[in-house]
């Protein structure tokens, strides 16, 4: 750090009564004039609530990730343009996406046969515009070109009250179709 430059550190502090709080410590080095020794100037801001909220959010995200990863179905989230923004491991496996590859950013319609895309676009618009929950059968297309039947359950993806895309549960129904 350069003299006079403020630096911030998050630290767990202990009060005289033994209780603790999270604080953000802001400090800067002040160089003394005329051979005066340097000293630190600073203040502490209590960030306990922000720290606890961030920890709760991390825990919630971890729980969501663990839950989604344990599902035997594929789960994907798409933005308003239909671009994939999230996919669980099972979704990647269903579509034969190599581990070192990614479908993030690709349009979800690329994973359906062309004959199903117009209907899927209309149904995705219903989810996003009307907040509808949609269930539909499609023929999906893996990255290697093989096709397989699926049922897709789509619900609105919300941030507060705003619809920001769709969350889709994907069930491979190949075994049902063989019967």
């Amino acid at each position: 750090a350069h003299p006079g430059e403020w630096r911030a550190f998050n630290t767990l502090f202990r009060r005289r009564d033994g209780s603790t709080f999270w604080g953000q410590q802001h400090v800067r080095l002040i160089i003394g004039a005329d051979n005066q020794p340097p000293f630190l100037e600073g203040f502490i801001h209590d960030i306990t609530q922000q720290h606890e909220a961030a920890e709760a959010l991390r825990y919630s995200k971890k729980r969501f990730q663990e839950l989604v990863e344990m599902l035997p179905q594929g789960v994907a989230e798409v933005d308003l343009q239909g671009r994939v923004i999230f996919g669980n491991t099972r979704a990647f496996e269903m579509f034969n996406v190599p581990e070192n590859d990614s479908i993030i950013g690709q349009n979800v319609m690329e994973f359906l046969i062309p004959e199903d895309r117009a209907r899927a676009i209309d149904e995705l618009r219903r989810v996003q515009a009307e907040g509808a929950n949609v269930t539909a059968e499609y023929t999906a297309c893996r990255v290697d070109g093989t096709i397989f039947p699926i049922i897709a359950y789509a619900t609105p993806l919300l941030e507060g009250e705003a619809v920001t895309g769709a969350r889709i549960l994907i069930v491979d129904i190949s075994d049902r179709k063989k019967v």
Side-chain angles (χ1 to χ4, degrees), residues 111-115 139-142 144-150 172 174:
F111 299 97
L112 298 177
I113 62 170
E115 297 82 4
T139 301
C141 186
R142 294 184 177 99
D144 63 7
T146 59
I147 60 173
F148 64 106
I150 63 169
D172 182 342
S174 298

Side-chain angles (χ1 to χ4, degrees), residues 94-164:
M94 288 173 77
F95 290 91
N96 289 346
V97 176
E99 283 186 39
N100 59 350
D101 201 357
S102 180
I103 59 173
I104 304 301
Q106 292 185 18
N107 192 293
V108 70
M109 297 304 155
E110 295 173 25
F111 299 97
L112 298 177
I113 62 170
E115 297 82 4
D116 283 353
R117 291 178 186 168
R119 180 170 53 92
I121 289 169
D122 289 342
E123 290 165 348
L124 188 58
R125 284 187 185 134
R126 276 189 49 227
V127 170
Q128 295 172 343
E130 301 168 20
N133 293 328
V134 174
T135 301
E137 284 191 30
Y138 301 104
T139 301
C141 186
R142 294 184 177 99
V143 295
D144 63 7
T146 59
I147 60 173
F148 64 106
I150 63 169
I151 294 178
Y153 302 90
T155 61
L157 184 60
L158 301 172
E159 283 187 25
E161 298 291 319
V163 175
T164 58

Side-chain angles (χ1 to χ4, degrees), residues 26 57 81 84 111 140 151-152:
H26 298 265
L57 181 60
Q81 289 73 41
V84 177
F111 299 97
I151 294 178

